[in-house]
């Protein structure tokens, strides 16, 4: 450990640890679920850390939040009801809110401290909570889904932490079954699905489960996030049986209906070209995913 630097050390990426220089620690607390820390870094702005793992930095959060949201929402004609699981920083809400056809946005985050700390230290991310369509539920995503009536949502976005800690169940088969049940026919889900460089075994398991459960499309996409382990992170995109969904060819252009969001910054990362490119996989990953 280098004094004055934060190093992200975890058994999920043994033998490597990305480091950021710390200017100042701004918050440290322990919630019922995890250790919560915010620090000012010298090169990536403020950083939110849960149990020693980076959840977002001001500089590169766009690459994750915009992609996990617009990949699913730009792939269906008129998303109206959207559920976010996790995502207590509000960044995914900010992105969902750009879609003017959306009428209702539920969010189920397990840890109220994440929400409070984000509102205090990350106003440009937590701005997502200000949208009048948003309803916040504090609780476990699995328990929340059990009570959702069949076919409620057009889209579900699972912005979850890694499968060590409170998010473990969000990577397991029973959770994906609940997600499928909560979606309307032809509804879509997008989930945080780890790194092709580090977690091919986890991805293989997710793909296997999803092919059994989602009878529409099942695809893996990825993006570049310099402060996430290995610098990349992926998403599982699936649709339920019903009107077919072609994730690789977006049919909604977000840029067109973005203009009514004057208070929110313009898109930094997402566009239709990068949407299509996100589904191109290196051969080693393509082989594993197609073999499932
Ligand atoms: N948008 C920032 C990126 C995240 S945040 C993940 C969120 O999921 C956290 O706020 C965490 O409290 C919440 N969470 C964890 N488990 C559950 C659960 N069971 N139900 C509801 N919310 C949950 C993800 C960063 C990925 C990091 C990659 N290394």
């Amino acid at each position: 450990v280098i004094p004055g630097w934060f190093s992200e050390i975890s058994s999920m990426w043994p033998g490597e640890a990305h480091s950021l220089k710390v200017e100042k620690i701004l918050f440290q607390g322990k919630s019922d679920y995890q250790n919560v820390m915010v620090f000012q870094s010298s090169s990536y702005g403020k950083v939110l850390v849960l149990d020693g793992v980076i959840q977002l930095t001001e500089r590169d959060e766009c690459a994750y939040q915009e992609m996990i949201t617009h990949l699913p929402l730009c792939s269906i004609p008129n998303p109206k009801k959207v559920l976010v699981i996790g995502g207590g920083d509000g960044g995914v809400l900010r992105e969902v809110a750009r879609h003017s056809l959306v009428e209702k946005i539920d969010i189920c985050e397990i840890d109220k401290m994440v929400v409070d700390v984000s509102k205090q230290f990350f106003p440009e991310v937590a701005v997502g909570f200000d949208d009048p369509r948003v309803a916040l539920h504090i609780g476990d995503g699995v328990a929340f889904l059990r009570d959702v009536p069949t076919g409620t949502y057009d889209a579900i976005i699972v912005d979850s932490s890694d499968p060590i800690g409170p998010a473990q169940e969000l990577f397991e088969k029973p959770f994906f079954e609940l997600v499928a049940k909560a979606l309307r026919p032809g509804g879509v889900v997008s989930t945080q699905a780890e790194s092709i460089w580090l977690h091919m075994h986890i991805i293989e398991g997710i793909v296997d489960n999803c092919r059994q459960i989602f009878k529409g499309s099942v695809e893996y996409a990825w993006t570049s996030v310099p402060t996430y382990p290995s610098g990349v992170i992926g998403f599982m995109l699936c649709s339920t049986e019903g009107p077919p969904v072609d994730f690789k060819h977006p049919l909604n252009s977000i840029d067109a209906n973005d203009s009514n969001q004057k208070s929110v910054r313009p898109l930094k990362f997402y566009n239709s070209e990068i949407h299509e490119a996100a589904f191109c996989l290196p051969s080693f990953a393509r082989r594993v995913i197609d073999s499932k």
Side-chain angles (χ1 to χ4, degrees), residues 8-18 164 197-199 201 229:
E8 191 185 42
I9 296 170
S10 165
S11 57
M12 281 193 66
W13 37 94
E16 60 186 282
H18 185 245
I164 295 181
W197 287 114
L198 299 168
H199 305 120
H201 54 290

Side-chain angles (χ1 to χ4, degrees), residues 66 70 95 98 254-255 258 265-271:
E66 292 184 15
H70 303 309
E95 295 308 316
R98 291 185 200 272
I254 179 74
D255 314 272
D258 196 19
R265 64 154 176 75
L267 289 169
K268 274 191 207 163
F269 195 90
Y270 178 88
N271 57 49

